[in-house]
Amino acid sequence: MNTTRIFSIVLFLVAAFLAVYLARLIYNDIEHTRRVEEVEAKVINQLKIIREAQIAFQTVNGRFTADWDELKAFIDTGKLFVIQKREEIIPLDYGDDSVVLHIDTLDAVPVRDSLFSPLKYPNLDLSTLSYIPENEKGEQFVIFAEKITKSGVSVDVIEVKDINPFDRTRKEDSDLRNRRPLRFGSRTDITTAGNWE
């Protein structure tokens, strides 16, 4: 066997090894990206449910809550009021109008049946609502609900965030808002928008 043939066989083996190695690297990267997207979709869905519950809670109680047990109890046994608003316009003698607003409470419906029905959320489990999906440590979302003063007015703010993102590239100090850990709301602004939107 001459040296050219030996060199060709060794080169072929090295090329085959590199091809398999690179294919495995690419496959692992694609699989990791798919897994990150899958887990983040679960986290976002959970955050949307929490946001919907917090908005309903604020509508009924006039504030957000930072207490998971209170929020879960509201979803389970709370009620939303069905109201009817109508305006009555009364013409005044001097050409102006007076508007009287009539508000009638028609009914009270359970939060669980109206906002979180089994048709809309078939797998809703209140015992796991506060827990970050696929979190190995079993950590809960961090919830912040307070009143702050904005332009001299007291307003409610809410922020719920994933403190331990599955995607390790999500950092709190990121310049891009959508590359920070998944969350909705803000501690300083009046918003319930999610940073994934």
Side-chain angles (χ1 to χ4, degrees):
M1 213 185 243
N2 63 17
T3 57
T4 306
R5 188 168 175 95
I6 293 172
F7 181 72
S8 296
I9 292 171
V10 169
L11 193 58
F12 174 76
L13 292 173
V14 168
F17 172 77
L18 284 175
V20 169
Y21 177 75
L22 289 175
R24 185 173 294 279
L25 278 179
I26 292 169
Y27 173 78
N28 288 344
D29 190 45
I30 291 170
E31 197 57 31
H32 177 71
T33 301
R34 184 198 62 76
R35 180 76 175 126
V36 165
E37 289 172 358
E38 178 184 296
V39 170
E40 287 196 346
K42 290 179 182 179
V43 172
I44 289 168
N45 186 55
Q46 193 94 335
L47 286 170
K48 287 178 179 178
I49 292 169
I50 295 167
R51 176 173 60 185
E52 190 171 354
Q54 284 284 1
I55 291 170
F57 185 91
Q58 185 199 29
T59 301
V60 171
N61 298 295
R63 63 180 174 82
F64 294 113
T65 181
D67 182 354
W68 287 113
D69 292 332
E70 186 177 28
L71 186 64
K72 291 174 188 178
F74 173 75
I75 293 170
D76 197 33
T77 61
K79 298 209 179 287
L80 292 173
F81 298 101
V82 179
I83 60 171
Q84 178 184 33
K85 292 181 184 180
R86 58 185 171 85
E87 293 179 354
E88 181 181 354
I89 300 173
I90 303 168
L92 301 174
D93 292 337
Y94 52 87
D96 212 357
D97 292 332
S98 175
V99 178
V100 177
L101 182 63
H102 299 279
I103 301 174
D104 298 322
T105 302
L106 303 176
D107 196 6
V109 294
V111 173
R112 183 73 174 214
D113 295 341
S114 58
L115 292 180
F116 301 100
S117 71
L119 290 174
K120 187 173 180 183
Y121 297 107
N123 300 322
L124 180 62
D125 180 4
L126 291 181
S127 66
T128 61
L129 181 68
S130 60
Y131 293 95
I132 302 167
E134 305 282 336
N135 183 285
E136 294 172 357
K137 297 177 184 175
E139 295 172 305
Q140 292 184 323
F141 290 103
V142 171
I143 188 169
F144 175 86
E146 291 287 332
K147 282 198 177 292
I148 64 167
T149 302
K150 199 84 166 157
S151 302
V153 178
S154 181
V155 294
D156 292 301
V157 293
I158 181 82
E159 180 185 69
V160 179
K161 75 175 181 177
D162 178 354
I163 56 167
N164 192 2
F166 186 81
D167 181 359
R168 300 293 176 222
T169 64
R170 288 188 175 277
K171 301 288 183 195
E172 194 62 52
D173 58 355
S174 176
D175 292 336
L176 300 173
R177 181 176 174 267
N178 65 350
R179 292 308 308 152
R180 294 181 188 149
L182 292 169
R183 72 185 69 199
F184 74 84
S186 170
R187 292 176 182 235
T188 58
D189 292 320
I190 308 164
T191 183
T192 56
N195 68 339
W196 64 87
E197 298 172 312

